[in-house]
């Protein structure tokens, strides 16, 4: 799954119709280059590929030679929601996927977002238990013990943050 694909679909969806520069400007205002590794070239490539895949409708603007406006279609809407739900539900070691999902969280009803985050939390708790079980099974060299300990603490920290987000949403906070 690609954070660029999710973000570009999400921004076109938010804007209803957009050209490449507008999508890039929106993502730049989110500083997505910093946390998702986006570059303008990858945005234009994603727009063309999403249109080729039948997820975006592309319309050439005759008054502006070379400009193409994009709009999400039903197939693109379904793919966007699938990507968003998966990124929220399934812990992924690539943080840019979850970051993209958080940036697009308002696209889902709050109740659905909370349910997906609870699924994510259960998966993280299972992962932490698995890591701790592996650590206790047999002695490992110190550097591997440190690696497993780091991963267990990362998962625990992510789980704690996720619990906090779920609590904020359940208490009425709106996704920004």
């Amino acid at each position: 799954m690609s954070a660029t694909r999710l973000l570009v679909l999400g921004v076109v969806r938010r804007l209803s119709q957009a050209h490449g520069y507008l999508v890039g400007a929106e993502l730049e205002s989110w500083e997505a280059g910093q946390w998702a590794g986006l570059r303008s070239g990858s945005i234009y490539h994603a727009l063309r590929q999403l249109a080729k895949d039948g997820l975006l409708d592309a319309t050439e603007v005759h008054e502006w030679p070379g400009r193409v406006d994009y709009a999400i279609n039903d197939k693109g809407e379904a793919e966007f929601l699938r990507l968003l739900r998966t990124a929220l539900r399934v812990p992924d070691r690539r943080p840019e996927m979850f970051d993209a999902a958080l940036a697009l969280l308002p696209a889902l009803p709050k109740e659905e977002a909370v349910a997906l985050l609870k699924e994510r939390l259960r998966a993280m708790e299972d992962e932490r238990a698995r890591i701790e079980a592996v650590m206790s099974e047999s002695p490992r060299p110190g550097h591997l013990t440190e690696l497993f300990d780091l991963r267990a603490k990362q998962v625990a920290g992510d789980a704690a943050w996720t619990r906090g987000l779920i609590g904020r949403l359940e208490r009425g906070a709106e996704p920004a």
Side-chain angles (χ1 to χ4, degrees), residues 1-165:
M1 180 170 18
S2 161
T4 301
R5 185 176 180 93
L6 174 57
L7 286 166
V8 170
L9 281 170
V11 168
V12 171
R13 180 183 187 269
R14 273 179 58 131
L15 299 174
S16 298
Q17 183 173 334
H19 51 85
Y21 180 80
L22 188 56
V23 172
E26 180 72 9
L27 288 169
E28 186 176 312
S29 76
W30 298 0
E31 297 191 20
Q34 296 293 318
W35 50 265
L38 283 179
R39 289 176 270 215
S40 62
S42 61
I43 293 167
Y44 285 95
H45 173 75
L47 286 165
R48 286 189 299 274
Q49 188 62 49
L50 291 165
K52 182 179 174 185
D53 293 345
L55 303 173
L56 294 177
D57 296 328
T59 306
E60 290 188 32
V61 180
H62 298 293
E63 299 81 25
W64 296 69
R67 178 172 150 177
V68 178
D69 283 345
Y70 297 91
I72 197 164
N73 57 33
D74 291 342
K75 185 177 173 184
E77 176 76 9
E79 176 68 357
F80 165 73
L81 290 172
R82 184 189 72 76
L83 291 171
L84 178 58
R85 289 172 175 139
T86 300
L88 286 172
R89 176 178 44 246
V90 179
D92 189 326
R93 292 209 171 102
R94 297 171 298 164
E96 67 275 5
M97 287 306 304
F98 187 60
D99 294 348
L102 285 176
L104 298 164
L105 192 62
L108 294 174
K110 190 183 336 183
E111 297 76 21
E112 182 179 3
V114 166
L116 291 167
L117 289 166
K118 285 181 177 180
E119 285 183 52
R120 177 184 196 82
L121 182 58
R122 281 189 295 277
M124 287 187 287
E125 289 167 345
D126 290 347
E127 174 71 2
R128 182 174 176 211
R130 187 193 66 74
I131 291 168
E132 289 173 351
V134 167
M135 288 173 60
S136 67
E137 285 174 1
S138 62
R140 302 198 184 282
H143 63 285
L144 292 179
T145 300
E146 293 299 331
L147 175 65
F148 281 91
D149 186 49
L150 171 63
R151 183 67 189 132
K153 285 183 171 59
Q154 288 171 332
V155 172
D158 289 350
W161 181 87
T162 301
R163 271 188 220 92
L165 175 59

